[in-house]
Amino acid sequence: AIEVSLKGVEVTGSPFRLRVGPAEADPPNCTVELGGALAEAVVRVGLVSSVEVRSFDVFGNERTAGGDTFEAWLLSPGADGSAERKVLALEEMGDGSYTCAFSMAAPGAHELHVHLDGQPISDSPYLIDVAAGADAPAVEPPLPEGSPADAPAGADGFAQVALEPQPPVNAVPAATAAGESASVAAAPADEDLL
């Protein structure tokens, strides 16, 4: 609160309450948290990796709103030995964080670059050594509930399984612009992909 007085007399309404928020994002203070395959001891081709960028101001205050202009890209070894640049789409979460998920298609040395307003953020680029995917554990997609594992194969060699639509999970009421009621459905996250 700020107290204001004029010639020793407190001004009407004083003290005034102020809300002070973080300053603009500062590239050297912004951070990246590596997740998914990047959090493992060995990163393999084809496994899903994720990053979360956190925005901080020059004073080290964490920003709690979005609107920052982060860019992220991956430099990967190309087939001809040159580096290939893959732009990553960062999703703004509205709380000062930005996330994306991706996978690497080739083994070798990769670089993850994250910039804010054209400047690299803290510790960028991040060096990632990716191993071939052959040693990665095989993950088979789950069979639909109620379908037999030995379903008869069709002419193409694939099992013929009838899928039935499932009701939405975690339906949440939402308001539309006109004030009518609507429903938004969110499916549970696949923990293997996080």
Side-chain angles (χ1 to χ4, degrees):
I2 295 180
E3 294 181 8
V4 179
S5 60
L6 180 62
K7 296 183 181 179
V9 177
E10 195 171 291
V11 173
T12 305
S14 179
F16 298 96
R17 293 180 184 241
L18 299 176
R19 182 166 193 247
V20 179
E24 295 297 315
D26 182 54
N29 285 332
C30 295
T31 63
V32 168
E33 184 176 324
L34 305 176
L38 295 176
E40 301 298 321
V42 178
V43 178
R44 301 224 179 262
V45 168
L47 296 181
V48 176
S49 299
S50 63
V51 296
E52 178 182 41
V53 179
R54 299 285 322 167
S55 183
F56 292 85
D57 70 11
V58 70
F59 305 104
N61 298 310
E62 188 169 3
R63 292 182 40 83
T64 56
D68 300 311
T69 52
F70 286 100
E71 297 176 282
W73 65 90
L74 196 62
L75 287 181
S76 300
D80 62 357
S82 65
E84 292 181 2
R85 180 179 168 148
K86 176 183 177 182
V87 175
L88 304 175
L90 288 169
E91 181 182 354
E92 182 177 319
M93 305 309 291
D95 62 356
S97 69
Y98 304 78
T99 63
C100 74
F102 57 94
S103 62
M104 273 92 40
H110 297 252
E111 293 179 6
L112 171 63
H113 293 257
V114 182
H115 284 205
L116 171 63
D117 297 327
Q119 296 180 37
I121 70 166
S122 175
D123 299 327
S124 180
Y126 302 88
L127 303 179
I128 305 165
D129 190 25
V130 178
D135 295 334
V139 177
E140 294 184 24
L143 292 173
E145 189 175 311
S147 52
D150 57 351
D156 57 3
F158 290 97
Q160 303 297 309
V161 177
L163 299 177
E164 298 196 19
Q166 301 295 316
V169 178
N170 299 333
V172 177
T176 63
E180 299 117 6
S181 181
S183 180
V184 177
D190 185 348
E191 292 181 346
D192 291 339
L193 298 179
L194 298 178

